[in-house]
Amino acid sequence: MRLTWAQPEDLVAAELAALREQGAVEDDLAAVERRWALAGGATTLQPSGASAVPAPPALRALAREILGELAALGGASPEEPDEWGAIESLLPPEPALVRPAAAEPDRVRGAWYGRAAGCLLGKPVEKIPRAGIEEIARATGNWPITGYFTQRGLPTEVAARWPWNRRSAPTSLVENIDGMPEDDDLNFPLLALDLLEAHGAALTTEQVAQAWLDNLPGGRVFTAERAAYRNLLDARPVPETATHHNPFREWIGALIRADVYGWAHPGDVRAAARLAWTDARLSHTRNGLYGAMWASALCAASLVAATPADVLDAAGAVVPPRSRLADAIAVGRAAGRAVATGASDEAEALDTLHASLGHLHWVHTLNNAALIACALEASGGDFGRGIRIAVAGGWDTDSSGATVGSVLGALAGFAAIDPSWTAPLRGRIATSLPGGAERDIEELASRTRALPERMRT
């Protein structure tokens, strides 16, 4: 059985990369890496999360041993702490945004529809690199990207060179879209909505953990979430759930779970970030935490701000200023501003991001956050332009598209989004959560608008 994001022999390479990104001592890492390689272990993680052939028992046992050794090589960073009090002490003053008792209905509808549309655009090309996405779009007359992807007119050789995402293509192309198909980028916001309705601002990480076990199939969570799920079943406490044999702890999984915490706090980026941190610490550390905090702040600001730049300014106030995430966002914003002012084009902006952050895995927080920031800055508030840049960047296409769509949808409001993006959703989102196969988007928006009052009780 080939099990992605979980086989110990695959986690070693990912852990070595994670520790290097966090600044661990290279001589220590190199010694462990040589020992692992001499034993026959792979030193590069496969993009899909698992080697084709599981390791023999002896090598798998050695992998577990080496993962234990590597755990001792990571250290704390005063500039990138994990605990809320230490994080908060590093943050600049909160921005002065209006904090309405409830957000405007059309903006909340725009946020939900925008998240779904951005995710849907990216689904069939998830795992396809930037060059492949462009070739597919050009071959089908959809470049620059102006609508959902299609198989119609795609030459056989292009399709063979860049296969669609296997799970998503049957439900995410123009010719077969019938509502928003199931996706973890929507399952997690649905679950967060349930959690906030049940627990309000008193939500704890343990309650998030219990909700995962009660509602999420283990096979529908990935990377850091799959590691945390395994750790929960192994009876490991929070926050060990985020650190034990989890080399994906700074990847994008927590960021995609954060939107509803922002929507529950229109204009209050710090309160949104606090709840996003509460959720994220189940599975993430350092910049994985900050990515979730930042995404929730983007969403909180998007319900009251006037421009993408205003949203980005406000959300920056929840990111530790000397963190790697702050640096990545700065790179993305600068590239996006250059597009917005005409100093460069979209391709040049994406070149800049790939030159700076292209060495990271395609679902890392840092590169995708830079791409999200770039797309928002470059969009000028144009929904279609923003999500196309996020997807054309070629990293975690559905997740980055979802976050950009959420923010721009809330900024513009549902009525201002071109119906070509929203009509195919049919007003519904499919889900693997209990309680029915689909959720009505209008009902979700109504429930979301009630959350600020729930946060005060």
Side-chain angles (χ1 to χ4, degrees):
M1 180 178 180
R2 180 177 179 270
L3 189 61
T4 59
W5 315 116
Q7 297 173 164
E9 62 271 21
D10 297 316
L11 301 185
V12 172
E15 182 62 36
L16 286 164
L19 289 171
R20 286 189 168 108
E21 291 159 15
Q22 293 178 347
V25 177
E26 178 58 30
D27 287 349
D28 294 341
L29 297 179
V32 176
E33 186 173 42
R34 283 193 298 271
R35 178 179 163 217
W36 173 242
L38 287 171
T43 57
T44 302
L45 175 67
Q46 294 298 309
S48 59
S51 49
V53 179
L59 187 63
R60 180 165 287 185
L62 177 61
R64 295 184 192 278
E65 179 183 329
I66 284 179
L67 286 169
E69 293 176 13
L70 290 174
L73 300 182
S77 167
E79 296 172 349
E80 292 186 347
D82 289 336
E83 293 306 311
W84 177 256
I87 294 171
E88 192 173 30
S89 71
L90 300 178
L91 301 181
E94 297 183 54
L97 296 176
V98 62
R99 298 180 183 179
E104 297 173 20
D106 194 57
R107 296 183 80 156
V108 178
R109 293 175 71 214
W112 273 107
Y113 274 97
R115 181 166 186 81
C119 178
L120 182 55
L121 177 62
K123 277 180 71 65
V125 295
E126 186 180 19
K127 301 181 184 178
I128 298 177
R130 179 185 166 198
I133 293 171
E134 181 173 347
E135 186 173 1
I136 289 169
R138 285 188 182 277
T140 53
N142 189 27
W143 187 264
I145 298 166
T146 56
Y148 295 115
F149 288 93
T150 181
Q151 179 75 26
R152 297 174 186 144
L154 185 66
T156 302
E157 64 273 16
V158 177
R161 187 157 46 248
W162 308 113
W164 300 113
N165 183 280
R166 177 178 55 84
R167 286 181 176 270
S168 297
T171 57
S172 303
L173 300 175
V174 168
E175 49 269 33
N176 57 38
I177 295 171
D178 184 20
M180 177 64 208
E182 186 268 348
D183 194 277
D184 60 335
D185 289 280
L186 276 301
N187 280 338
F188 279 115
L190 296 175
L191 187 60
L193 177 57
D194 291 342
L195 280 164
L196 290 185
E197 287 178 330
H199 304 291
L203 178 70
T204 67
T205 309
E206 287 72 20
Q207 289 164 341
V208 176
Q210 189 63 56
W212 283 22
L213 296 176
D214 291 346
N215 295 282
L216 288 173
R220 297 305 297 142
V221 296
F222 309 95
T223 65
E225 285 70 28
R226 184 165 290 182
Y229 205 112
R230 177 205 63 220
N231 289 335
L232 286 171
L233 295 177
D234 197 30
R236 295 184 182 277
V238 176
E240 190 181 344
T241 49
T243 58
H244 180 72
H245 292 189
N246 180 12
F248 317 118
R249 55 193 176 271
E250 290 194 290
W251 287 17
I252 200 174
L255 186 154
I256 73 171
R257 307 191 322 240
D259 288 38
V260 177
Y261 301 118
W263 299 338
H265 297 92
D268 191 346
V269 297
R270 186 72 62 87
R274 176 67 170 80
L275 277 181
W277 171 87
T278 298
D279 181 311
R281 66 193 289 263
L282 176 60
S283 54
H284 285 72
T285 66
R286 293 170 74 160
N287 292 278
L289 295 172
Y290 315 150
M293 293 162 53
W294 180 65
S296 71
L298 289 173
C299 291
S302 70
L303 291 173
V304 300
T307 69
D310 292 339
V311 171
L312 286 160
D313 287 345
V318 305
V319 178
R322 300 186 68 180
S323 65
R324 286 168 287 138
L325 179 62
D327 292 342
I329 293 169
V331 170
R333 293 197 67 177
R337 279 194 298 270
V339 175
T341 60
S344 70
D345 60 24
E346 293 173 18
E348 290 169 332
L350 296 179
D351 287 344
T352 296
L353 301 190
H354 278 260
S356 297
L357 298 158
H359 61 286
L360 297 170
H361 193 277
W362 61 274
V363 289
H364 203 285
T365 293
L366 299 181
N367 49 0
N368 283 283
L371 178 57
I372 290 165
C374 175
L376 291 173
E377 283 277 13
S379 73
D382 183 307
F383 180 85
R385 188 180 196 189
I387 62 174
R388 88 166 178 231
I389 293 172
V391 171
W395 285 321
D396 196 347
T397 52
D398 61 336
S399 296
S400 292
T403 299
V404 171
S406 171
V407 173
L408 294 178
L411 272 171
F414 172 76
I417 303 174
D418 192 304
S420 65
W421 294 114
T422 56
L425 301 175
R426 309 281 194 270
R428 61 181 187 266
I429 296 171
T431 183
S432 54
L433 298 177
E438 294 179 338
R439 301 291 189 273
D440 180 87
I441 299 178
E442 296 297 332
E443 180 184 354
L444 293 173
S446 177
R447 291 168 59 192
T448 301
R449 282 199 74 236
L451 286 179
E453 178 61 29
R454 179 67 179 91
M455 297 303 101
R456 295 189 288 270
T457 61

